[in-house]
Amino acid sequence: MESADVVVIGAGIIGAACAEALSAAGVRVLVIDRGAPAGATTASGEGDVLVSDKEPGPALELAAASRRRWPELLDELRELLGPGRAEIGWDPKGGLVVATTAEAVGPLAALTAAQRAAGVAVEDLDADRAREMEPYLTEELTAVAHFPDDAQLQPVPATAALLAALRARGGEVHSGVMAEGIVADRAGAVAGVRTGVDAIPCRAVVNACGPWAGHFSETVGAPVDVLPRRGMVLVTAPLPRFVGRKVYDSGHVDTVAGGDAEPRFSAVVESTASGTVLIGSSRQGTSFDEGLEVEVLRRLARGAIGLFPRLAGVPVMRAYGGFRPCTPDRLPVIGEDPRMPGLWHATGHEGAGIGLAAATGRLLADLFTGREPVVDPEPFRVDRPEVALEAGA
């Protein structure tokens, strides 16, 4: 492998977005991954590009920037690659957030008011209007909010298109290559990436290893507190058009933001282009435990039936899960590590990485090239106390 300005470690959607944005800025980029592109966390994602599930603050600002960026980025990819190679199933279908108890009405109203004040488009619906939009919704509706800017894309084709753009600009992507460490110069700055007996010369490395980013950062002596958090999804048999938007219960925002290691659940339902229905969501633990827990699947099914009672008799074809990179403060880590010049991190997006990828790539490229950043980078800095760990701790 040839030298590069930047080696991106990780060919999931975050690594691919960073590589694409850097290459668009004229940086020579090489991407390596121990597996296949989009073969791990990205492959287990539902493709959500959401603004509805974020409370006002840095995460919402990054989500809003990414929602604006994705359509622009798709246009750029089509222009570079041609329409056939840049079709990723973009669907700006919107979403509904549903309360089904009297107790949930107040918190949902407070959340939507805060989001509206932060610039998010949100419409309060009565039950009749909600069922006009989603006819199979439960009769037990107490409040519904419509988020027209929520969208979905297909994460694996999106990653492939981003990496194809990198190649079109002269960059490289290598699968089956394990990054074992970093080669540093006499001043302690990055000079290359060790891959077994070989090394790839470069002046910067991007740690986009997803749930394994914490392990890699510890290996190179600049640890960040990123741990795996598991999520499970049920997939039904194909149905006639059943649900047109992403629909989830109003407790989902708390589930996303929850910081404990105990399992957390919220009902999330949406259809795919093939007619299957995806049912989530769960968030569990901080370890790479791949055991299938039947009770988790039961909880997902019960939650979905609570939103859409007609799902009760629908067969489930399969269940799948994946690990998502989680930080203690639930904010991504994006930027250069002051402990090792040339080491950059782009990780910690938990279950929102697909939606946040476009703005994450743009922000990292902005910081790398010295451009005006697309959002304030301060909340995502590497050396914040919640994330930076002492070496050997």
Side-chain angles (χ1 to χ4, degrees), residues 10 30 67 93 108 130 185 189 213 226 285 307 326 344 352 356 358 391:
L30 186 151
R67 176 60 179 84
K93 61 187 180 181
L108 178 58
D185 63 18
V226 177
L307 288 182
C326 182
W344 293 69
L356 299 178

Side-chain angles (χ1 to χ4, degrees), residues 256-277:
V256 170
D260 53 41
E262 292 299 315
R264 300 173 70 92
F265 303 91
S266 58
V268 180
V269 180
E270 64 186 318
S271 291
T272 69
S274 65
T276 60
V277 175

Side-chain angles (χ1 to χ4, degrees), residues 25 65 359 361-377:
R362 182 62 176 269
L363 176 58
L364 187 135
D366 289 344
L367 296 172
F368 188 85
T369 59
R371 298 183 308 212
E372 181 72 20
V374 65
V375 297
D376 180 6

Side-chain angles (χ1 to χ4, degrees), residues 339-353:
R339 298 167 294 184
M340 181 178 289
L343 173 62
W344 293 69
H345 302 279
T347 184
H349 299 76
E350 219 250 296

Side-chain angles (χ1 to χ4, degrees), residues 280-300:
S281 72
S282 66
R283 283 167 164 79
Q284 296 172 265
T286 53
S287 69
F288 289 103
D289 181 2
E290 296 184 351
L292 185 65
E293 298 182 33
V294 175
E295 182 55 31
V296 170
L297 304 183
R298 289 196 182 109
R299 290 281 298 271
L300 297 181

